[in-house]
Amino acid sequence: MAMQVSTTHEERQSSLLAPASTSVSSQVVSTRSVHRMGDPTDLVSLASYVQQADEFTRATVGSKLDLISQQIQFLQSQARTILEEAKQDVSLTHAKCNFKRIPGKTYHLYRRANPQEGEDVEYFSMLSPAEWGGRLTDQYMGSYRLEHDRSWTPLEKVADRDARYQFNPKLLGIDRGEAESLAIKMT
């Protein structure tokens, strides 16, 4: 005859739980919070929490969008500057010149009235206004250095441009000695 063992629900649950030590006994969940009926102040506090979260989210999103807006304005400013420089480079490249232009050299731009064609003619010369002496009859427009990328840098901005393009070995995490051993030209 087979013996049938009946177990109650409590016995099955207690067999699944580790025996509690008498020295360490803690309550994981508050029985008051679990068994009470809905408290009307909980709904108000939940609504308040949701409202605060919405305000925080709006503030965070607003500040991030403001940052993106500032970045867009900065990029637009850079784009305008690049387009203005490109327009100037095209204009200077089309100036008349009776010699071969060599990158790295400085050339001086002059404007001469041309009554035959009805408009002024701009041309480059290797001579600065000081080298012309008192014989200069044309209007001096400025001096420019032809860069290796075929862009033009006004003479007054050459030092700034050279400083911007100077190699900084710290960016690679090396010192000057290592840079020179790598054959990186240091000026």
Side-chain angles (χ1 to χ4, degrees):
M1 161 165 30
M3 181 182 236
Q4 197 171 18
V5 178
S6 76
T7 57
T8 65
H9 176 67
E10 288 85 22
E11 290 173 341
R12 281 192 305 247
Q13 262 190 331
S14 67
S15 69
L16 296 174
L17 298 174
S21 166
T22 56
S23 63
V24 179
S25 176
S26 65
Q27 189 172 358
V28 178
V29 177
S30 167
T31 56
R32 182 179 172 273
S33 296
V34 170
H35 294 296
R36 71 178 168 176
M37 297 301 280
D39 185 4
T41 59
D42 281 350
L43 190 56
V44 172
S45 66
L46 178 62
S48 173
Y49 175 78
V50 169
Q51 183 180 5
Q52 287 174 347
D54 286 347
E55 290 171 2
F56 178 75
T57 302
R58 275 193 293 271
T60 302
V61 169
S63 65
K64 288 179 181 178
L65 288 174
D66 185 47
L67 176 63
I68 290 171
S69 173
Q70 290 173 4
Q71 291 172 341
I72 288 171
Q73 290 172 355
F74 177 72
L75 290 173
Q76 286 174 334
S77 168
Q78 283 186 318
R80 273 189 227 97
T81 301
I82 289 170
L83 291 173
E84 290 169 3
E85 289 173 355
K87 184 177 177 181
Q88 178 187 9
D89 289 345
V90 168
S91 174
L92 292 172
T93 300
H94 287 114
K96 297 194 180 289
C97 184
N98 291 333
F99 49 84
K100 182 179 177 183
R101 298 174 188 171
I102 300 171
K105 301 289 183 182
T106 300
Y107 301 105
H108 311 280
L109 185 67
Y110 297 94
R111 177 179 289 155
R112 174 185 308 141
N114 189 355
Q116 298 165 344
E117 295 181 18
E119 54 185 56
D120 295 347
V121 175
E122 289 185 348
Y123 67 93
F124 275 114
S125 172
M126 289 186 209
L127 300 176
S128 69
E131 293 171 320
W132 280 97
R135 302 180 313 253
L136 181 61
T137 57
D138 299 331
Q139 180 184 2
Y140 172 69
M141 302 300 295
S143 297
Y144 300 89
R145 182 175 74 183
L146 178 61
E147 303 299 340
H148 292 278
D149 64 357
R150 302 296 184 199
S151 64
W152 295 89
T153 304
L155 197 56
E156 60 273 6
K157 294 183 180 180
V158 167
D160 291 339
R161 185 181 197 282
D162 289 346
R164 244 187 2 253
Y165 286 97
Q166 186 171 359
F167 174 73
N168 183 354
K170 290 180 184 176
L171 294 175
L172 295 177
I174 59 177
D175 61 19
R176 281 184 147 330
E178 288 175 301
E180 290 170 0
S181 70
L182 293 172
I184 300 172
K185 183 180 177 189
M186 302 297 295
T187 55

